[in-house]
Amino acid sequence: MDSSIYNSTLLLSSPSQTMSQFPLFKLQFFTTMDTATNLFHFLPFLVLLVWMLVDLLKPRRVFPAQQEAGVLPEIIVLFNILILTLYLGSLAFKVWKIEAIPMDPLFISLSWILVTFFTIYTKRKAKTESSGWPNVLVSWWVLSGIFQFFSIITYLTNHFKLSALPSFFPAATVADIASFPLSVFLCIGAFIMNFRRVSSGLEQPILLDDYENEEVSRRVFSIAGIWSKLTFRWLNPVFEKGWLQRLELHHVPQLPKSETAETAYSLLQESLRKEKPEFSTLTRAIMNFIWKPLAINAVLAGLNTLASYLCLYLITNFVDYLSKVDEKRSHVHGYMLAFIFFFAKMVESLSQRHCYFGARQIGVRVRAALMVSLYKKALTIKYSRMSSAKMLNFLDVDVERIGDFFWYINGIWLLPVQVSLALVILYRNLGVAASVTTLVTTVMIMVSNTPLAKSQEKLHSKILEAKDARIKATSETLNCIRILKLHSWEGAYLNKLLHLRDVERSWLKRYLYTCSAIAFLFWASPTLVSVVAFGVSILVKIPLTPGTVLSALATFRILQDPIYNLPELVSMVTQTKVSVDRIQDFIRDDQKENPKSNYITDHSEVVVEIEPGEYSWQPDLSSRKPAVKLDRKLKIMRGEKIAVCGSVGSGKSSFLSSLIGEIPRLSGVGSKVFGSKAYVPQSAWIQTGTIIQNVLFGKEMESSWYKEVIEGCALDRDIKLWADGNLTVVGERGMNLSGGQKQRIQMARAIYSNSNVFLLDDPFSAVDAHTGAHLFKECLTQLLSCKTVIYVTHQLEFLDAADLILVMKDGKIIQSGKYEELIANVDGELVRLMAAHKKSLYQVSSHKKHNNVATSKRPMNINVELTEEKPYSQIRNSELLERINEEERESGRVKCSVYNTFVTLAYKGALVPVILLCQVLFQGLQMASNYWIAWATDKEDRISRGRLIGMFVLVSAGSSLFVLGRAVLLATIAIETAQSLFLRMTKTLFRASIFFFNSTPSSRIINRSSTDQSTVDTDIPYRLAGLVFALVQLLCIIVLMSQIAWTVFILFIFVLVISMLYQNYYISSARELARMAGIRKAPILHHFSETIAGAPTIRCFNQQDRFLAKNLYLVDDYSRITFHNSAAMEWLCLRINFFFNLVFFIALMMLVSMPRSAIDPSLAGLAVTYGLNLNVLQAWVIWNLCNVENKMISVERILQFCTITCEAPLVIENNRPELEWPRYGTIELENLHVQYNTGLPMVLKGISCVIPGEKKIGVVGRTGSGKSTLIQALFRIVEPSLGRIIIDGIDVCSIGLYDLRSRLSIIPQDPTLFQGTVRTNLDPLQEHSDFEIWEALRKCQLVEIVKQDYRLLDAPVAEDGENWSVGQRQLACLVRVLLKNRKILVLDEATASVDTATDNFIQKTIREETGRCTVITVAHRILTVIDSDLVMVLNEGKILEFGSPSELLKDKSSAFSQLALEFLGRSKSNQDEFT
């Protein structure tokens, strides 16, 4: 591996030639590479290079240094430098002497350059890692010493003529003799240091992960040196970790301080503040805070462009040089050209890689700043009528588009520069006429491309609109999936989604075929421009040479980028401007900024001042009357309890919103609340997290106070029964909790805050009578005895404890005063409400009076309260926490089955071979056309100019046709594949069980349907095809360049092996980075969505800073992954670029060294022309290779959702019930057992009874007794574990879910309205006439409410029905079931949020309209079930009592009697005073 190999001096001669012939060889080494001996001149160099790379990639155990290595490493480095100097001197002397470059000194010098630099690198690493030298260095030093010794022996033997040795034995040079003692010392020093390493390594432990220390982690990029940043070496520790184990978030270094969300947001705000308000724009502010990195990036982009065009400029010179005869060729001139090519390509590679990374880095900063700005605005803005979906769209689409824009921004000024440089090169090669026609043709192509680009942009906008509509419908469907399944509407909503997808697909199809036309224009434009340019040159008789032709062809190819990029650039600028304007309008919407609603506590006794004023949820709609109209001033004193009551829709919730500033004020000065506030909304808002996190809500833990609060809110029994107690994880929107549990957690959160003022919006409606009484007694009268409490309630029995009662009607306070004063007014509204209440009480008390005979019933533990009522409330914390907080991701390579599934989805993969054939023919014909015109221009005596241009046009047109066919077929496959994946995922999702939706955040599903589906629609097919096309092109170029000298092929094999090693090393980390990037955005969207939903609560508790801090943390996590992910790609491309540039350089050196007779200048020039694209093409191949796997993760994620567990079949064809089923509505429960998951306790434990048809059944019991579970079992939301449910003789488990659920009706516990109109909410399937709808509205007392809007049934319903009160929503749900008119009707707490009078009216309506139906009413109120035919009392999942109310009330010890007495006792004082 030394001079023994390299020192063959007679490179062209036979073995008998002497040293006197040495100067004649003139670097002819490359012309005789057919002998194995000569291969040894460069093979050791390549072996050494590969070994070093493998050694660099190989992970090492790291040991802490315990002792200094002394000066020995410095001496070893110095000796390497001395040896390198000796060999470089020897090389320089021979070059000067023979005027050529001999191969043996050249390659041995290159080898020692590698060894020296690797030695310096290893020494620097040893400071922080282990001492000792890698095996590759030690092996080189040992072998070098051996061969130097052998060559010295050979020299001495020949010199003193001691023996006759064969001529091929190496003889030592001066450099060999001088280097030998240095090599001996290197071997001894290496063995000494490696022995120390082995000895210390046996005793040292492995170092801890440095990234556990945040400060160290943040400094990884910041403290990196210039060389480390230039070569991306600062990423090496990440790759080492990813190579050894699966990469996790804590393995990735923290963002540098300059890239964090907090810093970026601060810089953006500072930039906004510096501008004058009247001239301030978000665009200018963004540019001001990133102008420095933007300027650096522009310099890099300009440098990259100049370097790439310099190579084009030099092609003519190089081909002309090759065309000269040997006598006129100067090798020095050729070597200089080759070196300039190599230098330019290296500058191009470095500048391009850092330009791309810089663009991504700027995008990360801007994205983080805008994300924080949007979040902060969403957190502070009040009563905005903008939907949460639109706000999420800002975050998910607009911000990403703005961040991506910086990838294209340099194209704005580079485009004219590129065209100008191309024209300069063409002017030099083809003259003025061809240059002008080229410019004109280019402009014409750009102009003709503009309509296509505009059409593409318009179609893209249509796709986004269609996608927005689909995602909005998907989001709403996911939020209401339980309702859809209960009503068996999922089929209708699935069809609605599929229809929306069909609309999107139609636009997508037109878009992709337009892209095919643009792709055809892109690839055909060089052909068209070259035909015109060469045609004009022939007409004006411009002399053409292979050099000028090939330079022009390369220029035409590079011109296709500006031609193609201009429309895309214009489109990107336009889309980005729209996104910036949208975000700017939202961020700067100062009209809706919240007024100050927190006032410093003073020492007076007044804590709330209610001022006269008008409030409306729709301030700009004059036709609507105010939601709240306060005409009097009220002062609420410290410690007072204020009750607010009124009928449904009277404005009670709006009144509380006016106190906390969450409703627009039309007039007046606004109410004032002094001190801290706590707010409990009527619709519970629960965070995703643990129970203790929801209760503490940012406060410090005080164990004694926490325990008091938990006991006061009756949560202690629930917590004891949950598997993980306080650490039980709550699912999204509290889906795994009952309504009562959610309400009590809200109460605990408010009370634990220990605020000055408490505003409670009907907190007792969702709990049973016993729990309600407990809450009122323990919370309001004890824990909050010294606090000011304003509580809304429909339970009039809680009014007498209030210091002041406010009675509301039509948004006004029509009565206020103490309880005794108000009930004295016989014409007052409170008396009317109490009359309805008295009527209900009379129903209960009359039963008690007429049934005094006591009969013994089974005993009952009245205090038992279970919490297994709702699904999955007992899920293990670890299981649910993993599913909710950490999205599941695969590990390792994307499986081959994923690729196979994707490729064969469309037409079973039949079109794939056809596309490959088109690409091969396109590439082959393109190269053939280029070679033809380069070759024919030099044969003017044999080939006419007409034939020359005609053949060129014919072959070029053929290649263009094949590229058109390729583009069209690819678009066809992309459309079909995307649609197949969408259908599989969507249909599977709609068939998934409720457990899946309870444990999977909707944002995660939306991410699959939006981001991943978009990637499949428009990205992955083209990435995969681009990889294959680039590989075909690369192989064609390799074959072409191998025609020059077959050794190039060997070089390419080595480089490809190295590239594969690098790619394999890279992909293990990059794959996990891409997966983490895919799942790290969902938490941001989820947190944003959750914040919007709970913004009033967050603001009321003054928790904005804590939520903002969490947002900063989540954004940094996302930026952290994207930052390192983009850097990782450049790390790989830079290294692969270097090797291909090196191969290109060696190929040029070969061409320079070859005699004129041995090469075809046209072929050689063509190889150089295509070789210029080697670094770009190989980077494109490697980038696509890695990016395809990263993008295929989207397919992998979609396929995950295609394999989730589904419910039972919707229809069982051979066992469908009759159309009239059920005829009677008789329900039989036989030994019914229900559990929510294997391993969890039974919730229903052997229930057996018969519910007679056409009877009214009331189901009561403590919270958690199993009431809602029974209903879910009836609808098969949860399947029975044992036993049967039989309806009119048919086992419900034997028929399909659609046949079961569509024959039943239900009003669920959580009333749900969809965004749309009144009509679409009441009659989603459009099965009823307007008359029927109005009649149902009249029966439910909703006619006046609907008529308040002039649009009547077409009046809009806001997202989640927010413009309707909860009580009104429950009435709307009643309208639905009246229209549906089924034989069995289930009411699951259907009247929990309405006043007693409305409850009585609803019960009356149900009795009248469902006289021949079986009605099962689950209720907390005794009043609601007192007139039922039968009452079922549940406790601990068993039937405690089942009989008529009158029979149960006869037994004073019965459970039902106890519940009634408890209710009457609580209401006794109210009743006595009223009567």
Side-chain angles (χ1 to χ4, degrees), residues 1036-1045 1048 1052 1143-1144 1147 1167 1171 1174:
C1036 289
I1037 292 176
I1038 291 174
V1039 171
L1040 176 63
M1041 294 189 71
S1042 299
Q1043 299 303 309
I1044 303 168
V1048 175
F1052 272 117
V1143 170
F1144 181 61
L1174 264 180

Side-chain angles (χ1 to χ4, degrees), residues 755-917:
S755 301
N756 302 113
V757 180
F758 292 81
L759 301 104
L760 315 179
D761 194 355
D762 202 10
F764 313 113
S765 61
V767 297
D768 58 74
H770 170 73
T771 307
H774 175 89
L775 288 177
F776 189 83
K777 178 182 177 183
E778 297 295 328
C779 296
L780 267 71
T781 61
Q782 293 186 22
L783 294 176
L784 302 179
S785 59
C786 299
K787 302 291 184 179
T788 302
V789 182
I790 303 175
Y791 61 97
V792 171
T793 184
H794 287 132
Q795 279 73 19
L796 301 183
E797 57 269 21
F798 295 137
L799 295 180
D800 61 331
D803 299 304
L804 178 69
I805 299 173
L806 303 178
V807 183
M808 298 194 69
K809 184 178 182 180
D810 296 330
K812 300 176 182 178
I813 299 176
I814 59 174
Q815 283 184 291
S816 64
K818 292 188 177 295
Y819 181 78
E820 296 80 4
E821 299 170 0
L822 296 181
I823 63 172
N825 183 359
V826 294
D827 297 324
E829 178 68 13
L830 181 61
V831 171
R832 189 186 70 81
L833 295 173
M834 291 298 295
H837 187 60
K838 179 185 177 183
K839 181 179 178 182
S840 299
L841 292 175
Y842 177 76
Q843 291 177 339
V844 179
S845 59
S846 63
H847 281 285
K848 298 291 294 182
K849 290 177 182 178
H850 289 92
N851 299 287
N852 292 323
V853 180
T855 57
S856 177
K857 292 284 180 181
R858 67 194 73 158
M860 163 185 172
N861 185 358
I862 200 74
N863 292 320
V864 172
E865 182 176 352
L866 298 182
T867 56
E868 294 94 341
E869 179 181 353
K870 278 286 179 180
Y872 317 110
S873 58
Q874 288 193 16
I875 291 177
R876 295 291 305 178
N877 177 52
S878 56
E879 178 186 348
L880 193 58
L881 184 62
E882 180 182 354
R883 290 186 62 89
I884 291 176
N885 292 338
E886 184 64 34
E887 183 174 349
E888 178 186 355
R889 63 184 173 104
E890 300 286 346
S891 60
R893 288 187 175 275
V894 176
K895 296 179 178 61
C896 293
S897 59
V898 175
Y899 287 96
N900 182 61
T901 301
F902 183 78
V903 171
T904 57
L905 271 174
Y907 311 107
K908 297 183 179 179
L911 294 181
V912 174
V914 181
I915 292 178
L916 285 175
L917 180 62

Side-chain angles (χ1 to χ4, degrees), residues 1270-1289:
L1270 177 61
I1271 301 306
Q1272 291 182 79
L1274 180 63
F1275 282 81
R1276 290 178 66 190
I1277 296 296
V1278 55
E1279 296 285 350
S1281 302
L1282 188 64
R1284 297 194 302 168
I1285 302 176
I1286 300 172
I1287 300 178
D1288 283 359

Side-chain angles (χ1 to χ4, degrees), residues 411 475 519 688 748 752 792 823 831 901 984 1019 1046 1185 1244 1299 1398:
S475 178
T688 304
Y752 187 84
V792 171
I823 63 172
V831 171
T901 301
R984 287 176 64 174
D1019 202 357
W1046 65 270
L1185 190 64
L1244 297 183
D1299 287 335
T1398 307

